[in-house]
Amino acid sequence: MDDATLLQGIDYNKLDVLVLPTGDLGLHFSDTVPGEIVRADEESPIYESSVQFIGRIAFHVSVPNTIDICGAFDNMTLDTILTTYSNIPNRKLIFKNSSDSSNQGIVTTTVLPTGPVNASFRSSRGLIKSRTRIYVERSPPNMNFEFPVGHFVKKVIIPNRLELDGGIRTTKMLRQTLDRFADVEGRKIVFQKKNSRRGPPTTTAAKSVKTKWVPLEQSVEH
């Protein structure tokens, strides 16, 4: 199972998960990339539960109803993510063995609040249309992790409505999609740091909604 797949339909009971309380954790990570836990302060609120993960790679951070990030983090990035969301309970830090490899880059799934999205996007404007990507140009204030600058839009998910996987080729299309469903709770954008090598992009839509999107069983090639 690769890192991108882990972000979809996560079953935390089958993973090596450390549930994090609010506040200072007292965890220390290695200078290597990806980062490993090297020690935990004795006064850490999760000292006993974290010791078993020493020497393991921390590759996935989950913040409930806000963001999921997975990939090869350095220690500064890990510390910053954990500090930024330190007031949110039930965050999760997920581990894997150092022998486990991944070529997915950094994958970020952001849960959007209702209303307009104030991030700025740009197109790569490639000569080959199918290789054009939409990138984050500027993040909204205090949302640098939710909208990582320079990462491309891999997928847009509107719960029970539609899912655009790799088929967003213009900033106009992205804006129209987000604005059209601005009042839907739980919208998600999946960002990736490097281009995916998967197959052709697809567009799916739930049957219960009358839209111009193709049926769930079909896909559109671009």
Side-chain angles (χ1 to χ4, degrees):
M1 181 179 293
D2 59 38
D3 293 352
T5 303
L6 280 172
L7 291 178
Q8 312 299 324
I10 301 169
D11 184 354
Y12 291 112
N13 293 321
K14 296 181 180 180
L15 299 172
D16 292 327
V17 178
L18 182 60
V19 179
L20 309 177
T22 57
D24 183 24
L25 301 173
L27 299 179
H28 300 270
F29 301 95
S30 65
D31 293 331
T32 58
V33 179
E36 302 175 0
I37 283 189
V38 292
R39 68 182 176 88
D41 295 338
E42 291 186 5
E43 61 271 21
S44 168
I46 51 173
Y47 177 78
E48 292 185 0
S49 58
S50 64
V51 168
Q52 62 178 310
F53 296 110
I54 290 177
R56 305 286 302 281
I57 291 174
F59 80 105
H60 185 162
V61 180
S62 177
V63 183
N65 302 314
T66 304
I67 193 171
D68 275 89
I69 312 175
C70 73
F73 305 120
D74 57 60
N75 58 356
M76 183 176 295
T77 299
L78 277 168
D79 286 335
T80 304
I81 293 173
L82 295 176
T83 301
T84 299
Y85 305 103
S86 62
N87 63 326
I88 300 178
N90 296 318
R91 294 166 297 156
K92 295 178 177 66
L93 194 56
I94 304 171
F95 299 86
K96 63 182 178 181
N97 295 323
S98 57
S99 59
D100 296 336
S101 61
S102 171
N103 60 357
Q104 293 297 318
I106 301 294
V107 180
T108 302
T109 297
T110 299
V111 180
L112 304 176
T114 56
V117 173
N118 295 320
S120 176
F121 300 93
R122 64 177 175 83
S123 171
S124 64
R125 298 181 180 179
L127 295 177
I128 302 176
K129 185 177 180 181
S130 63
R131 295 183 180 178
T132 300
R133 296 287 186 266
I134 303 303
Y135 291 85
V136 179
E137 182 176 50
R138 186 177 66 253
S139 305
N142 302 315
M143 298 187 75
N144 293 332
F145 286 113
E146 290 88 342
F147 294 89
V149 172
H151 294 208
F152 76 92
V153 176
K154 181 178 184 297
K155 184 182 295 187
V156 173
I157 302 170
I158 312 297
N160 302 314
R161 305 294 181 93
L162 62 87
E163 182 175 309
L164 296 172
D165 186 356
I168 302 173
R169 304 303 183 199
T170 66
T171 56
K172 181 179 179 181
M173 179 181 181
L174 177 60
R175 285 291 181 192
Q176 287 179 339
T177 302
L178 296 176
D179 290 346
R180 181 178 182 183
F181 299 101
D183 60 339
V184 177
E185 295 185 357
R187 295 175 300 164
K188 295 179 182 178
I189 300 181
V190 179
F191 301 100
Q192 193 163 353
K193 190 174 182 179
K194 70 176 184 178
N195 291 349
S196 172
R197 296 180 180 179
R198 292 179 55 187
T202 60
T203 303
T204 59
K207 293 181 178 180
S208 59
V209 179
K210 294 181 179 180
T211 70
K212 294 182 180 180
W213 305 102
V214 298
L216 186 63
E217 294 84 0
Q218 298 180 7
S219 64
V220 177
E221 294 186 357
H222 296 267

